[in-house]
Amino acid sequence: MRVLMTGAGGLIGKEARSQLAGRYPLLRLTDMVDVSPAGPGEECVTADICDLAAMEQAMQGIDCVVHLAGMSVEPESNAWEQVLPANIVGTYNVFEAARRAGVRRVVYASSHHAVGYHRRAHVLDGSALPRPDSFYGVSKVAGEALGRLYADKYGLSVVSLRIGAYRPKPMDVRHLSVWISPRDMVELLRCSIEAPLLHYVVAYGMSANTRSIWDNRDAAVLGYRGRDNAEDYAEEVLTSGAPELEGAKPFHGGWYCGWDLGGHGLFID
Ligand SMILES: NC(=O)c1ccc[n+]([C@@H]2O[C@H](COP(=O)([O-])OP(=O)(O)OC[C@H]3O[C@@H](n4cnc5c(N)ncnc54)[C@H](O)[C@@H]3O)[C@@H](O)[C@H]2O)c1
């Protein structure tokens, strides 16, 4: 298995790089920032995912791409102008380059913000319809749609991971439901890379949280089973955790849902 990881210089990429070191004959790490020096079994490539030719070059000889690169939050200003190139054009380039280079699988870092405006009263599974809570969420819907297209039209094997809140530990009440620990995140990536033949899977990126609001049986199809549980931090979070925005409380996406809502949330079923 020869693996290419985009966004290798980011929070999740760095953790995955360190935990997966030595696991694959080749781990090629790419990011727009320099991630060298390469360790044993690694190659480092500085490239922008907005550069299709550079992506195609980076994917030569690769079996599986883990696509983490992009804008990982909703920018406070010019959100659309920033997510469009990094998350939509860039993700198209990653899928198209993978197709051209004969890559077998793409593991795509989506986000629960793709479905953030669903109400928490409803448990979501991988079939939940898009309900983005931000332009960032819209970009993740687009990324999932690209993944589905490349799976159905071109036979690429694709896993879309709707990642929850990746943190060393949960920081607020909502995180007790949606947190994913660093070791569970890397285990989910490992399972997504190594799961036998599959066409298209949507799974949620979460630990084994007692208060989960997601039905994650599709992650089990990948062989993933979370080992950490946000509940271990519940007492600390409930006594001193960050408070939630009032307008955000009913929704899966949390505080992104509260921005600019202006009372319209009443009409969201
Ligand atoms: N961290 C979370 O809680 C979380 C939750 C849901 C989804 N995700 C998704 O997981 C992925 C990784 O998240 P993260 O927390 O590691 O993000 P991060 O911001 O720490 O890292 C993103 C990396 O992508 C690189 N990058 C950005 N634009 C690029 C471009 N045009 N070309 C090449 N590289 C570029 C950055 O240099 C950075 O190293 C992101 O796609 C994010 O949207 C993260």
Side-chain angles (χ1 to χ4, degrees):
M1 183 71 84
R2 290 156 299 180
V3 177
L4 173 80
M5 187 189 299
T6 74
L11 286 178
I12 296 175
K14 279 189 205 149
E15 185 68 30
R17 177 183 187 176
S18 108
Q19 285 195 45
L20 296 175
R23 187 167 183 89
Y24 305 111
L26 172 62
L27 183 58
R28 189 175 291 156
L29 303 154
T30 182
D31 200 296
M32 66 196 299
V33 300
D34 183 8
V35 293
S36 60
E42 290 181 349
E43 290 175 7
C44 297
V45 177
T46 305
D48 190 326
I49 55 169
C50 294
D51 181 343
L52 176 57
M55 283 300 103
E56 202 176 337
Q57 177 73 25
M59 286 186 207
Q60 296 307 311
I62 291 297
D63 300 303
C64 176
V65 175
V66 176
H67 176 36
L68 303 171
M71 178 61 64
S72 58
V73 292
E74 175 81 337
E76 288 190 23
S77 60
N78 300 326
W80 178 248
E81 287 74 9
Q82 295 188 66
V83 298
L84 177 64
N87 291 11
I88 299 182
V89 176
T91 297
Y92 161 76
N93 288 342
V94 167
F95 278 109
E96 176 59 16
R99 181 189 73 79
R100 292 185 192 177
V103 169
R104 291 204 307 256
R105 177 167 302 168
V106 175
V107 179
Y108 170 58
S110 182
S111 167
H112 69 293
H113 292 293
V115 289
Y117 264 134
H118 285 284
R119 285 191 178 265
R120 282 183 217 174
H122 304 302
V123 172
L124 302 182
D125 66 13
S127 68
L129 289 175
R131 209 146 185 190
D133 56 28
S134 49
F135 291 109
Y136 167 73
V138 169
S139 76
K140 294 300 183 181
V141 172
E144 289 188 18
L146 283 162
R148 183 92 237 195
L149 176 73
Y150 275 83
D152 288 345
K153 195 176 275 293
Y154 301 113
L156 211 63
S157 172
V158 177
V159 181
S160 288
L161 298 175
R162 289 180 182 162
I163 301 167
Y166 171 86
R167 303 280 188 287
K169 59 183 194 174
M171 306 301 288
D172 64 27
V173 174
R174 190 182 67 100
H175 286 183
L176 296 177
S177 302
V178 304
W179 177 64
I180 184 162
S181 69
R183 77 168 169 175
D184 282 347
M185 184 69 240
V186 179
E187 173 64 2
L188 179 57
L189 292 177
R190 187 196 67 73
C191 290
S192 302
I193 295 166
E194 297 177 15
L197 200 63
L198 57 85
H199 179 61
Y200 182 77
V201 169
V202 177
Y204 288 83
M206 63 174 190
S207 286
N209 302 326
T210 303
R211 302 182 195 211
S212 168
I213 43 179
W214 299 329
D215 172 350
N216 212 13
R217 71 188 70 178
D218 289 336
V221 170
L222 301 171
Y224 168 75
R225 195 176 294 272
R227 286 195 289 169
D228 296 309
N229 187 339
E231 207 60 23
D232 295 342
Y233 300 90
E235 199 178 321
E236 182 185 335
V237 167
L238 293 171
T239 49
S240 55
E244 272 203 275
L245 273 180
E246 206 50 46
K249 279 182 181 168
F251 305 111
H252 281 256
W255 70 300
Y256 284 1
C257 299
W259 287 4
D260 297 334
L261 196 57
H264 304 299
L266 288 174
F267 301 104
I268 301 176
D269 60 4

